[in-house]
C-alpha cells in the first residue's frame, strides 16, 4: 500500500501525503498506523533525494497519567 505513495513523492507528483493502514508493531501486535510521506529535497535539486516516512500508532488513544497530588 505504501509503494505507490512513496514513488509518487519521489517523482514529485505529490507533496506530503498522509494515510492510515493496518500494520504490525515490533512486538507482533496488530495496530492502526498513520503514515505521513514527505519528499526530501535539497535547495536547487531538480529531483527529490528521498522521502521521509513518519509512522504513528493511532489504534488506541494514549494514556494520560494522572497529575501527582
Amino acid at each position: 500500500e505504501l509503494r505507490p505513495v512513496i514513488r509518487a513523492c519521489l517523482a514529485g507528483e505529490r507533496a506530503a501525503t498522509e494515510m492510515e493502514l493496518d500494520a504490525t508493531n515490533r512486538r507482533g501486535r496488530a495496530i492502526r498506523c498513520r503514515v505521513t510521506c514527505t519528499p526530501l529535497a535539497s535547495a536547487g535539486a531538480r529531483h527529490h533525494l528521498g522521502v521521509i516516512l513518519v509512522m504513528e500508532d493511532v489504534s488506541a488513544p494514549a494514556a494520560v497519567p494522572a497529575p501527582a497530588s
Side-chain angles (χ1 to χ4, degrees):
E1 293 179 55
L2 282 176
R3 188 170 286 147
V5 174
I6 293 170
R7 286 188 176 153
C9 278
L10 281 171
E13 298 169 4
R14 294 186 183 182
T17 303
E18 190 174 284
M19 64 186 296
E20 285 191 16
L21 49 90
D22 294 319
T24 304
N25 70 10
R26 62 189 178 101
R27 294 186 176 134
R29 193 173 295 163
I31 63 168
R32 187 75 180 163
C33 184
R34 179 182 302 131
V35 180
T36 305
C37 180
T38 308
L40 177 64
S42 65
R46 292 185 182 189
H47 61 280
H48 297 296
L49 303 173
V51 296
I52 299 170
L53 292 174
V54 177
M55 299 179 186
E56 176 184 8
D57 181 355
V58 293
S59 55
V64 178
S69 41

